[in-house]
Amino acid sequence: MTENFPHLVKEMDLQVQEARRTPNKRNPKRTTPRHIIIKMPRAKDKERILKTARERNSVTYKGIPIRLSADFSTETLQARREWQEIFKVMNTKNLQPRLLYPAKLSFRIEGQIKSFTDKEKLKEFITTKPGLYEMLKGIL
C-alpha cells in the first residue's frame, strides 16, 4: 500500500488480515499469486483506494503489477444469495442469467435482456410470460 498510495496510507489505519497463496485451478503445480486481504475500519477508505487505483491504471506489489478488487458487504452477499435458486433454474433453461453488481438479476428472454433489482418486480413480469411463470412459480 505504501508503494502505490503513500499519501493515503498515512491517513488510514490499515491492517493486513490475511495473506496466502491459492492453488491454480488449471495447473496445480504452477505458482499462483498471493491473495492479500486488508481489513479497513472505514468503507470510505476502501472506496478512496479503489478510486485512486482506477485513476492510476496500474498498481504494483514489489514492482509486479497486481489487480485490486473490492469485497462485498454482508448485506450485498445476502441479497445475491437470495437470487441463487432462481439463477440456477434459469441457467438450466438456458436463459443466460447474470448476477450484476450489487444484487441485480439479468437474463435473456425473447431476444431481449431483462434486469430486476427485486423479486417483486420479477413476479410482476413473469405473470405476463406463461412459460416463465410455470418455470418459476414454485420458487417465487
Side-chain angles (χ1 to χ4, degrees):
M1 296 302 292
T2 55
E3 179 181 343
N4 295 289
F5 315 108
H7 60 284
L8 291 177
V9 173
K10 291 175 187 173
E11 303 168 13
M12 298 178 203
D13 176 32
L14 298 177
Q15 303 166 358
V16 174
Q17 181 178 340
E18 179 181 339
R20 61 185 167 93
R21 289 196 180 273
T22 57
N24 189 324
K25 291 179 183 175
R26 294 187 189 128
N27 184 359
K29 293 180 182 178
R30 186 174 151 215
T31 58
T32 59
R34 185 179 312 168
H35 293 270
I36 300 172
I37 299 171
I38 298 172
K39 187 176 187 175
M40 294 182 204
R42 293 185 303 265
K44 292 237 183 232
D45 293 343
K46 176 178 71 173
E47 292 166 7
R48 287 174 57 198
I49 287 174
L50 291 172
K51 182 181 176 188
T52 306
R54 273 187 236 108
E55 290 170 356
R56 286 190 61 188
N57 291 335
S58 90
V59 179
T60 60
Y61 175 69
K62 295 184 178 176
I64 299 169
I66 62 168
R67 182 177 30 183
L68 294 181
S69 60
D71 67 333
F72 296 123
S73 67
T74 53
E75 295 84 16
T76 303
L77 287 173
Q78 179 59 36
R80 290 174 74 89
R81 268 188 224 113
E82 290 173 5
W83 286 113
Q84 285 303 312
E85 195 172 344
I86 296 169
F87 181 90
K88 288 176 185 174
V89 170
M90 288 182 164
N91 205 21
T92 60
K93 301 297 182 183
N94 202 23
L95 292 174
Q96 300 174 350
R98 301 284 180 262
L99 274 176
L100 307 174
Y101 182 81
K104 185 176 178 181
L105 179 72
S106 170
F107 60 94
R108 186 179 298 271
I109 186 165
E110 298 172 355
Q112 296 181 339
I113 297 174
K114 298 290 183 182
S115 297
F116 299 94
T117 54
D118 60 33
K119 288 184 178 182
E120 291 304 316
K121 290 181 182 176
L122 179 60
K123 266 186 198 178
E124 291 172 18
F125 176 75
I126 67 169
T127 56
T128 63
K129 308 288 182 191
L132 194 56
Y133 180 77
E134 286 298 316
M135 186 187 325
L136 297 174
K137 71 178 179 183
I139 300 170
L140 292 171

